[in-house]
Amino acid sequence: MSRRILIVDDDVAFGVMLRTWFQKNSWEAVLISSLEQALQVSTSSQFDLILSDLRLPDGDGIMFLTYLREKKIMTPFIIMTGYADVQTAVNAIKLGAFDYLKKPIIPEVLQQKIELALTQDKADKKDKEDKRDKKDKEVAMMVRGKSPVIQRVYTHISLVAPTKMSVLVLGESGTGKEYIARMIHEQSGRKDKPFIAVDCGSLSMELAPSELFGHKKGSFTSAIADKRGVFEEAKGGTVFLDEVGNLPYEVQKQLLRALQEQKVRPVGSAQDIDVDVRIVAATNEDLEKAIEEGRFRQDLYHRINEFSIEVPPLRDRIDDLEEFAYHFLEQANAELGKDVKHISAEALDVMKQYEWDGNLRELRNVIRRATLFAENQEISADNLPVLKNKAQKAQVVEDMALQPGDEKEQILAALKKARGNKTVAAKLLQIDRKTLYNKMHLYGMDLT
């Protein structure tokens, strides 16, 4: 089967010469002369390579390249220029072009760059496949945890997943809110449809409407073609709005309309498009406080919060830490080419005494670093210097704060002063919450 190339050049004689050269070298070559034709042909046909002139009668190669990448068409792209536009060609490479050629073109150089482009494209596709397989494997193999607090979360997921309810996932940064959102999707009737995650923190007021709802060609300067938004791309599936509290206020109004009416209107369009998506949103922010401060719409809050799931921080599910640590160790071994098999009891103890403000994300990073430095196929406490130092300091503080003779009385007094709030009580006692629970259990005190 011959390879296909799209040649875009308004110099007819030069274009025909190129087409003939490619045909002699066992290519199927298509020659066109304008940007408009290029946009049409590139979306209706598939090519192994695109060779485009920089200057075209109705635009330029940069516009064509931008269009392709917006459409997620990643065909290898080589740009040609007969002008003193090397800097422009370099900018094209930054936008995703593989390389550029200066006219007059030398066949040997052309052949060399084509071979490199195709080789790189094959490698990129394999890398993309490997990453997708890895992502799927991570989702499938992610440790669920066995602690009572996380089991309640899984129970809530199994209850709400089959419904059409919008879900708001709450929790600190790094607790795995996107993983919870994917679990909801995978346990729903929409699991065979797209799951599209959107980082709301990266959407500016100018970019958000186009990204979420799409745009029509010519609706703004760089809109050289129609674009489907996230809601249309995810039709029938789930849209995950991560850090939804960061959405610009005016975009919140447009989002509310889309959710209420199940319709979106692309930027520059006079017509609505019907969409059918399930919303799962997430935030580590107090949205009720944001409503009071006028930064978040109350009506949108109630629309996305038909059901809420709070993901506990790692310090509240420390019984799951060992299982997660070994899961991340397996990932780190594969990534770093190591073969570390064990985590010492002392290292596990150090990790269990740590507060983990960064939650699972921080644990994963700590395990990766420890795996890199581990010797004799075991992670030791010495591979966790930061954690070990903090644990030692915490133990000194604890020993100074609670003397054996009056521990129970101090705990009772702290709990009374904190009105039963164990986090506040632990801070008053200058110990961590886990230590407080252990002491309460030791003295037979009511943990509830």
Side-chain angles (χ1 to χ4, degrees):
M1 186 175 178
S2 62
R3 296 170 296 182
R4 302 187 77 227
I5 183 169
L6 175 63
I7 303 167
V8 188
D9 200 311
D10 62 332
D11 183 336
V12 178
F14 180 74
V16 169
M17 180 193 69
L18 276 177
R19 183 176 62 187
T20 302
W21 184 87
F22 276 102
Q23 288 172 341
K24 286 182 178 179
N25 285 273
S26 303
W27 284 78
E28 181 185 341
V30 176
L31 174 63
I32 55 178
S33 60
S34 70
L35 176 61
E36 184 178 359
Q37 290 176 314
L39 300 181
Q40 293 173 353
V41 172
S42 62
T43 52
S44 61
S45 302
Q46 290 188 337
F47 296 92
D48 297 291
L49 183 69
I50 294 174
L51 191 61
S52 174
D53 195 18
L54 177 62
R55 301 292 181 92
L56 298 170
D58 55 346
D60 59 44
I62 301 289
M63 296 173 70
F64 183 28
L65 175 62
T66 302
Y67 167 82
L68 292 172
R69 298 308 183 243
E70 281 187 354
K71 288 288 185 180
K72 304 295 188 291
I73 299 173
M74 307 309 293
T75 307
F77 191 103
I78 296 177
I79 202 158
M80 303 178 291
T81 177
Y83 300 83
D85 288 330
V86 173
Q87 184 56 53
T88 305
V90 171
N91 291 337
I93 293 174
K94 291 179 181 179
L95 289 171
F98 174 76
D99 209 335
Y100 73 93
L101 286 163
K102 288 190 291 185
K103 296 180 179 178
I105 289 175
I106 302 170
E108 291 78 9
V109 175
L110 174 61
Q111 182 68 41
Q112 182 185 39
K113 295 201 173 187
I114 288 171
E115 289 175 357
L116 286 171
L118 295 178
T119 301
Q120 182 63 49
D121 182 53
K122 186 176 181 180
D124 289 345
K125 285 178 179 176
K126 186 178 185 306
D127 184 53
K128 190 175 181 180
E129 258 181 42
D130 290 345
K131 286 180 179 178
R132 183 170 61 246
D133 291 344
K134 182 181 177 184
K135 182 68 174 177
D136 292 342
K137 186 177 180 183
E138 286 180 0
V139 170
M141 293 179 59
M142 185 66 177
V143 178
R144 288 172 63 92
K146 298 176 182 178
S147 62
V149 65
I150 198 63
Q151 287 299 320
R152 285 196 295 272
V153 171
Y154 298 147
T155 299
H156 292 163
I157 290 173
S158 64
L159 286 172
V160 75
T163 74
K164 295 182 179 180
M165 298 175 75
S166 296
V167 182
L168 181 61
V169 184
L170 305 169
E172 296 177 8
S173 179
T175 51
K177 295 188 290 294
E178 181 171 346
Y179 173 66
I180 297 299
R182 287 184 180 275
M183 285 185 67
I184 293 170
H185 176 72
E186 290 299 323
Q187 294 182 34
S188 75
R190 299 170 179 266
K191 63 181 180 180
D192 295 326
K193 299 295 183 180
F195 175 95
I196 299 182
V198 181
D199 178 9
C200 296
S202 66
L203 298 180
S204 63
M205 177 60 219
E206 296 74 25
L207 178 63
S210 171
E211 187 67 23
L212 294 175
F213 313 124
H215 65 243
K216 303 298 288 183
K217 177 181 177 180
S219 55
F220 47 89
T221 305
S222 59
I224 62 174
D226 292 351
K227 177 185 176 180
R228 286 155 54 97
V230 165
F231 274 72
E232 195 176 356
E233 292 281 352
K235 196 169 183 178
T238 302
V239 172
F240 173 55
L241 300 173
D242 196 14
E243 299 307 336
V244 68
N246 291 329
L247 270 180
Y249 195 85
E250 188 58 35
V251 179
Q252 294 175 28
K253 181 179 179 180
Q254 299 173 45
L255 176 60
L256 177 64
R257 175 183 179 272
L259 299 182
Q260 287 176 334
E261 301 180 13
Q262 289 287 281
K263 297 177 184 292
V264 297
R265 179 170 296 183
V267 178
S269 175
Q271 293 184 332
D272 290 336
I273 298 174
D274 292 330
V275 292
D276 171 26
V277 297
R278 201 255 187 94
I279 293 295
V280 179
T283 184
N284 60 14
E285 185 180 2
D286 184 344
L287 290 185
E288 292 184 350
K289 182 179 179 182
I291 291 170
E292 291 177 3
E293 296 174 352
R295 294 183 290 107
F296 200 83
R297 295 181 64 95
Q298 187 173 39
D299 45 9
L300 177 59
Y301 172 72
H302 291 302
R303 182 64 185 80
I304 63 175
N305 190 24
E306 293 179 332
F307 190 96
S308 63
I309 293 176
E310 186 156 1
V311 187
L314 181 56
R315 60 183 171 274
D316 284 354
R317 49 183 299 200
I318 214 70
D319 291 343
D320 292 330
L321 183 140
E322 183 173 348
E323 197 169 359
F324 275 106
Y326 271 99
H327 172 69
F328 293 138
L329 172 60
E330 184 180 343
Q331 291 183 348
N333 276 330
E335 181 182 349
L336 301 173
K338 300 275 286 186
D339 187 29
V340 180
K341 298 184 183 300
H342 305 289
I343 303 174
S344 72
E346 184 185 3
L348 284 171
D349 188 58
V350 168
M351 287 191 281
K352 289 178 180 179
Q353 295 300 319
Y354 187 62
E355 278 294 299
W356 298 109
D357 293 333
N359 294 293
L360 294 177
R361 185 181 295 121
E362 184 180 10
L363 175 61
R364 182 184 61 202
N365 291 340
V366 165
I367 293 296
R368 284 178 74 247
R369 185 182 187 280
T371 302
L372 182 64
F373 287 101
E375 298 177 355
N376 302 320
Q377 297 185 320
E378 182 177 76
I379 291 176
S380 68
D382 290 335
N383 298 134
L384 309 167
V386 176
L387 273 61
K388 188 176 180 180
N389 291 340
K390 287 189 176 181
Q392 289 172 342
K393 289 179 182 178
Q395 187 62 50
V396 170
V397 171
E398 178 187 345
D399 292 343
M400 292 175 61
L402 295 180
Q403 299 302 318
D406 60 358
E407 275 189 346
K408 185 174 181 179
E409 288 74 14
Q410 287 191 46
I411 291 171
L412 288 170
L415 286 168
K416 183 177 180 180
K417 188 172 182 179
R419 297 182 179 181
N421 188 312
K422 296 180 185 61
T423 301
V424 175
K427 288 181 179 178
L428 290 172
L429 294 165
Q430 299 182 37
I431 60 176
D432 61 55
R433 185 160 40 183
K434 179 175 173 58
T435 301
L436 175 59
Y437 274 90
N438 290 339
K439 298 292 185 183
M440 291 176 68
H441 180 73
L442 177 67
Y443 290 115
M445 301 170 67
D446 186 1
L447 295 174
T448 60

